[in-house]
């Protein structure tokens, strides 16, 4: 059932952004502020959120800034409650916070799995569970944007933990889309799948909890190569945020800002249908 029609209205509506202290989250905050929205910024990094306030030109009075660890369900519950109390509810939710771990899968540590899945997978699940029921109850138009990755559509070597977590975000988002459509309510979903962009993600271990230290022993050189690829990325975080907000306005589900990544997705599906072995997506388009 297709219920959502016409462009999304953003002015004077409320956006909640997780991972708002850096990278895409910061640029999404800037775009939402420019669109006239109230903002709720959430991150484990309070200094980062202060910087976001500074670069967006928002004052602490115009935005609610809240420390929130998305891997903790109670933190998302508190965030949803605070957004409702301050602004009357949430119209646009960005489940954006994410972290990365790298290295061959057989050397990934239990802590790598717990940390990355706690943030990337449970962070999105917690966001959906804490915010969507109130959106349904309110019955007004609302939207959810989940940040996955091109790594959620293809499976690059040395990225198993991260890629598996982002495949889970793709699956959760597609299921959420179908389930919301079945309600007949004007609530929709976008799935953001960017390629390499120069943000803070290559240094995401900066916020890794002490209880989950102990990364893949082969991570460092791989993250260094990933960092180089990110710095060479053709789109900036600001480009990705602008493209994402345009997609929300147009009510589009799949958001792939890096058009050159589509060849890799096509190749994977071709390999799958042919029943052979997958080609390495990092070897480029055949
Ligand atoms: N940069 C890229 O190349 C790229 C590509 C595809 C997808 N992504 C995804 O984009 C999203 C945003 O990442 P980014 O690239 O802007 O990186 P970033 O490191 O610049 O920003 C991520 C933010 O998430 C926050 N964060 C980390 N753990 C958290 C937790 N437990 N709870 C709340 N906040 C937490 C960090 O403090 C940081 O401010 C992530 O989901 C990432 O996987 C990034």
């Amino acid at each position: 059932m297709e219920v959502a029609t016409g462009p999304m209205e953003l002015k004077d509506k409320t956006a909640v952004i997780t991972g708002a202290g850096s990278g895409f989250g910061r640029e999404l905050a800037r775009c939402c502020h420019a669109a006239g929205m109230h903002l709720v910024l959430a991150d484990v990094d309070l200094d980062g959120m202060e910087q976001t306030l500074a670069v967006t030109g928002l004052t602490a009075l115009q935005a609610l800034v809240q420390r929130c660890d998305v891997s903790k369900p109670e933190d998302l519950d508190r965030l949803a409650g605070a957004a409702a109390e301050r602004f009357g509810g949430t119209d646009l939710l960005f489940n954006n916070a994410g972290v990365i771990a790298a290295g061959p899968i057989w050397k990934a540590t239990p802590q790598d799995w717990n940390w990355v899945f706690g943030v990337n997978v449970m962070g999105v699940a917690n966001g959906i569970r804490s915010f969507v029921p109130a959106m349904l109850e309110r019955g007004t138009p609302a939207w959810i944007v989940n940040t996955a990755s091109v790594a959620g559509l293809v499976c690059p070597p040395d990225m198993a933990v991260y890629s598996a977590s982002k495949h889970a975000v793709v699956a959760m988002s597609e299921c959420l889309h179908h389930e919301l459509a079945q309600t007949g309510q004007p609530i929709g979903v976008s799935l953001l799948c960017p390629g390499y962009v120069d943000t803070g993600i290559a240094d995401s271990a900066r916020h890794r909890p002490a209880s989950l230290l102990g990364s893949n022993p082969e991570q460092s050189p791989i993250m260094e190569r990933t960092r180089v690829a990110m710095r060479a990325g053709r789109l900036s975080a600001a480009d990705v945020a602008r493209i994402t907000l345009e997609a929300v306005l147009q009510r589009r589900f799949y958001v792939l800002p890096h058009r050159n990544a589509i060849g890799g997705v096509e190749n994977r599906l071709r390999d799958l249908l042919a029943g052979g072995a997958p080609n390495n997506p990092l070897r480029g388009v055949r």
Side-chain angles (χ1 to χ4, degrees):
M1 188 191 315
E2 285 292 334
V3 288
T5 52
M8 275 286 289
E9 292 287 337
L10 300 183
K11 189 159 171 29
D12 296 326
K13 301 291 191 320
T14 300
V16 174
I17 305 171
T18 69
S22 178
F24 295 150
R26 177 172 294 163
E27 296 303 327
L28 287 166
R30 204 198 289 263
C31 288
C32 289
H33 178 48
M37 302 191 79
H38 307 296
L39 282 176
V40 179
L41 309 182
D43 203 298
V44 286
D45 182 357
L46 286 170
D47 291 342
M49 288 193 285
E50 287 303 320
Q51 286 174 39
T52 298
L53 282 182
V55 300
T56 49
L58 276 158
T59 65
L61 288 176
Q62 292 169 302
L64 176 64
V65 174
Q66 186 154 320
R67 190 186 188 283
C68 168
D69 179 344
V70 296
S71 69
K72 297 191 170 142
E74 62 276 17
D75 280 20
L76 269 305
D77 282 347
R78 262 198 297 274
L79 188 70
E85 194 174 311
R86 174 82 177 264
F87 298 118
T90 299
D91 306 287
L92 179 54
L93 169 67
F94 293 95
N95 285 314
N96 169 73
V99 294
I100 195 167
I105 188 169
W106 55 86
K107 292 193 177 176
T109 65
Q111 296 93 321
D112 283 334
W113 287 103
N114 284 334
W115 177 50
V116 174
F117 269 58
V119 179
N120 295 7
V121 181
M122 292 316 298
V124 174
N126 291 335
I128 292 168
R129 190 193 58 81
S130 294
F131 283 85
V132 172
M135 288 174 169
L136 288 167
E137 205 169 299
R138 244 173 135 204
T140 53
W143 208 262
I144 299 125
V145 180
N146 293 333
T147 306
S149 168
V150 168
L153 303 171
V154 299
C155 307
D158 294 320
M159 285 290 157
V161 178
Y162 182 71
S163 187
S165 76
K166 293 301 185 178
H167 278 256
V169 176
V170 172
M172 287 191 285
S173 305
E174 293 188 6
C175 291
L176 177 64
H177 166 85
H178 298 313
E179 292 162 20
L180 286 171
Q182 283 168 3
T183 69
Q185 295 236 36
I187 306 172
V189 186
S190 293
L191 173 68
L192 171 60
C193 297
Y196 292 127
V197 181
D198 190 14
T199 65
I201 191 113
D203 299 307
S204 53
R206 67 195 186 280
H207 298 306
R208 190 163 169 155
S211 58
L212 293 176
L213 292 180
S215 44
N216 192 312
E218 295 192 20
Q219 167 155 289
S220 294
I222 297 157
M223 279 320 301
E224 199 40 58
R225 285 201 298 277
T226 306
R227 190 178 279 111
V228 169
M230 284 172 177
R231 288 192 182 132
R234 281 187 294 182
L235 296 180
S236 67
D239 293 327
V240 172
R242 178 181 42 76
I243 290 166
T244 305
L245 216 64
E246 280 167 11
V248 170
L249 285 167
Q250 296 161 7
R251 300 176 188 273
R252 281 197 285 113
F253 182 86
Y254 293 111
V255 189
L256 279 78
H258 295 80
R259 305 307 293 168
N260 58 349
I262 289 171
V265 180
E266 284 175 345
N267 286 345
R268 174 168 185 255
L269 293 178
R270 204 174 296 125
D271 292 341
L272 188 152
L273 293 172
N279 280 277
N280 181 343
L282 297 184
R283 292 234 175 88
V285 179
R286 284 168 294 145

